[in-house]
Amino acid sequence: MVERRSHGGERPLKRCREKNITDRSVKARRRRRRRKWIYFTRRISICMIAAAAIVYCMISLKYRNTFLPNTRIGGITVSGLTIEEVQSEIRKGIERYELILEERDGAEERINGEAIGLHPVFDGTLENILRKQNSLLWGLRAIRGAEYASSYMVEYDKGSMDLAVAALECLKSEQVVEPADAYVAFVSGSGLQIIKEEPGKAPVRERLSEEIGKAVSSLETRISLDERAVYKEPGVSETDPELLAQKEALKVCTDVTVTYRFGS
């Protein structure tokens, strides 16, 4: 019988082959795990995106009959409101309206919107804005926002306005001070002087009613009666050319020296 002896180099070679096989197996398992993880994360991402899209679309349904987020009309925030709700908010604001009148002597008076029958008249702007908006763009609108001009005009009752104006303190006889013209007068120790005009405080009722009507129609909250030229003005001011000429003519007379001689 022939006895075979193993060579010393066979065992290291076998160990190398086993190691290579083990390494390939480990790498294959890692690749499988990585593929599974990628597949899993993709499925999760797709599910999350689909869920987000569904939620986004469901929210957009809300804005089919309401105004988009971050929308302002005539200075009023109308986000998420229906046309009827916006009109209700506008009416509430009109009911609280009042106009402050700044008078010449520093006094103030108020015209209340409710007292003059003030009310809004809608012109269809709200319906046009709602009809043209795209509810699917609510996310973009929430970021950018949109501002629209006023969607209504206001009207008041003429009879109620006349009564409110007539009741103002500034028109009562005890409050009215008529303006006084400038004039020439002799002042002791100073000679001829022009006495300055007095502005008084006598509003012209027709002009007052007109300016109040303009302010209310544009929903102004404060006006100065002086700036609106509501008061009567003096007919002659201290710089009037005729008044200055009169002063010069009188000055000539006052400068005349008359000498009386008595006896022979």
Side-chain angles (χ1 to χ4, degrees), residues 4 13 21 27-28 31 38 54 62 72 97 101 104 110 154 175 184 195 200 221 224 234 239 243 252:
R4 293 185 178 180
L13 181 59
I21 293 171
K27 290 179 180 179
R31 284 195 296 269
I38 293 173
I54 291 172
K62 169 187 174 183
R72 291 173 62 84
Y97 171 81
L101 309 177
R104 180 167 281 177
R110 286 168 167 77
V154 292
Q175 297 292 331
V184 179
I195 307 302
T221 56
S224 166
T239 58
L243 186 65
V252 171

XYZ file of all heavy atoms in Angstrom, residues 4 13 21 27-28 31 38 54 62 72 97 101 104 110 154 175 184 195 200 221 224 234 239 243 252:
207
model
N -0.091 8.132 1.279
C -0.065 9.508 0.762
C 0.099 10.501 1.904
O -0.543 10.383 2.938
C -1.388 9.822 0.020
C -1.531 8.994 -1.244
C -2.779 9.435 -1.965
N -2.918 8.684 -3.209
C -3.925 8.860 -4.041
N -4.875 9.740 -3.755
N -3.992 8.133 -5.149
N -4.265 27.061 1.518
C -5.064 27.295 0.305
C -6.536 27.046 0.581
O -7.402 27.807 0.151
C -4.555 26.371 -0.809
C -5.268 26.508 -2.163
C -5.131 27.942 -2.691
C -4.698 25.507 -3.165
N -15.151 32.456 0.182
C -16.574 32.087 0.115
C -17.359 32.819 1.205
O -18.454 33.327 0.968
C -16.729 30.549 0.258
C -16.132 29.859 -0.961
C -18.191 30.174 0.442
C -16.046 28.341 -0.815
N -21.023 39.671 1.835
C -21.343 40.788 0.944
C -22.709 40.613 0.299
O -23.463 41.570 0.127
C -20.268 40.906 -0.136
C -18.934 41.384 0.395
C -17.910 41.458 -0.724
C -16.560 41.942 -0.195
N -15.534 41.990 -1.271
N -23.029 39.359 -0.051
C -24.336 39.095 -0.657
C -25.454 39.394 0.330
O -26.479 39.976 -0.032
C -24.398 37.637 -1.126
N -25.827 43.082 0.574
C -26.534 43.632 -0.592
C -28.025 43.376 -0.502
O -28.827 44.248 -0.834
C -25.962 43.032 -1.885
C -24.618 43.629 -2.287
C -24.290 43.275 -3.739
N -24.128 41.842 -3.895
C -22.968 41.194 -3.782
N -21.869 41.876 -3.480
N -22.896 39.888 -3.965
N -33.739 49.777 0.974
C -34.104 50.755 -0.056
C -35.556 50.566 -0.483
O -36.316 51.535 -0.634
C -33.147 50.634 -1.265
C -31.739 51.064 -0.856
C -33.651 51.469 -2.434
C -30.701 50.812 -1.924
N -53.222 63.373 -0.475
C -54.640 63.186 -0.155
C -55.094 64.254 0.830
O -56.161 64.863 0.663
C -54.875 61.777 0.417
C -54.664 60.722 -0.680
C -56.280 61.662 1.000
C -54.684 59.307 -0.171
N -62.085 72.515 1.013
C -62.639 73.542 1.910
C -62.710 74.899 1.225
O -63.611 75.705 1.508
C -61.765 73.629 3.163
C -62.058 74.812 4.059
C -61.038 74.912 5.183
C -61.250 76.184 5.997
N -60.233 76.339 7.051
N -56.737 89.206 1.777
C -57.313 90.419 2.378
C -58.088 91.183 1.308
O -57.601 91.336 0.183
C -56.224 91.314 2.972
C -55.557 90.717 4.207
C -54.366 91.551 4.650
N -54.769 92.899 5.026
C -55.234 93.233 6.225
N -55.365 92.310 7.169
N -55.573 94.473 6.500
N -68.839 102.262 12.755
C -68.186 103.440 12.154
C -68.643 104.733 12.826
O -69.813 104.905 13.184
C -68.518 103.505 10.664
C -68.076 104.795 10.007
C -66.760 104.972 9.609
C -68.979 105.843 9.808
C -66.345 106.154 9.017
C -68.570 107.027 9.217
C -67.249 107.175 8.822
O -66.843 108.347 8.245
N -65.251 115.004 14.036
C -65.125 116.349 13.466
C -64.244 117.192 14.377
O -64.570 117.406 15.545
C -66.499 117.000 13.319
C -67.584 116.183 12.598
C -68.901 116.948 12.619
C -67.160 115.863 11.169
N -62.848 124.346 15.217
C -61.854 125.425 15.285
C -61.390 125.707 16.711
O -60.227 126.044 16.921
C -62.445 126.680 14.644
C -61.516 127.869 14.663
C -62.026 128.942 13.741
N -61.705 128.660 12.329
C -62.097 129.417 11.308
N -62.862 130.488 11.534
N -61.743 129.115 10.077
N -68.927 113.949 16.998
C -68.938 112.673 16.287
C -70.239 112.460 15.520
O -71.312 112.824 16.011
C -68.727 111.516 17.275
C -67.287 111.411 17.777
C -67.177 110.452 18.948
N -65.788 110.107 19.223
C -64.922 110.882 19.832
N -65.299 112.079 20.242
N -63.668 110.474 20.035
N -70.612 102.459 0.271
C -71.520 102.709 1.390
C -72.540 103.778 1.010
O -72.246 104.669 0.213
C -70.763 103.140 2.666
C -69.921 101.997 3.214
C -69.904 104.360 2.414
N -73.038 128.857 20.205
C -71.670 128.452 19.897
C -71.091 129.202 18.697
O -69.876 129.289 18.537
C -71.634 126.943 19.595
C -72.036 126.056 20.749
C -71.040 126.095 21.889
O -69.854 126.325 21.677
N -71.518 125.891 23.105
N -59.404 149.912 10.093
C -58.425 150.908 10.522
C -58.975 151.630 11.744
O -60.144 152.040 11.756
C -58.121 151.926 9.402
C -57.116 152.973 9.889
C -57.585 151.213 8.172
N -56.512 146.949 12.567
C -56.926 145.920 13.527
C -57.215 144.636 12.763
O -58.032 144.635 11.832
C -58.174 146.364 14.317
C -57.938 147.748 14.948
C -58.529 145.326 15.371
C -56.748 147.826 15.872
N -63.528 134.021 13.854
C -64.786 133.521 14.419
C -64.873 131.998 14.319
O -63.887 131.301 14.065
N -62.301 108.576 9.014
C -62.651 108.523 10.431
C -62.420 109.852 11.155
O -62.864 110.011 12.288
C -61.841 107.431 11.152
O -60.441 107.675 10.943
C -62.202 106.052 10.590
N -60.800 117.682 9.648
C -60.680 119.004 10.253
C -61.603 119.961 9.507
O -61.488 120.102 8.288
C -59.224 119.488 10.181
O -59.147 120.867 10.474
N -63.701 136.022 7.071
C -63.882 137.482 7.067
C -63.802 138.019 5.642
O -63.058 137.493 4.802
C -62.714 137.987 7.915
C -62.302 136.806 8.744
C -62.569 135.596 7.904
N -54.333 142.401 5.146
C -53.473 142.651 3.982
C -54.274 143.132 2.770
O -53.732 143.229 1.668
C -52.713 141.350 3.606
O -53.657 140.312 3.335
C -51.787 140.912 4.737
N -57.832 148.343 2.176
C -57.686 148.713 3.580
C -56.360 149.426 3.802
O -56.290 150.430 4.544
C -57.792 147.472 4.461
C -57.812 147.715 5.974
C -59.067 148.491 6.378
C -57.756 146.392 6.741
N -52.553 160.749 6.115
C -52.270 162.093 5.588
C -53.091 163.125 6.353
O -52.595 164.201 6.710
C -52.590 162.156 4.081
C -52.520 163.592 3.572
C -51.627 161.250 3.312
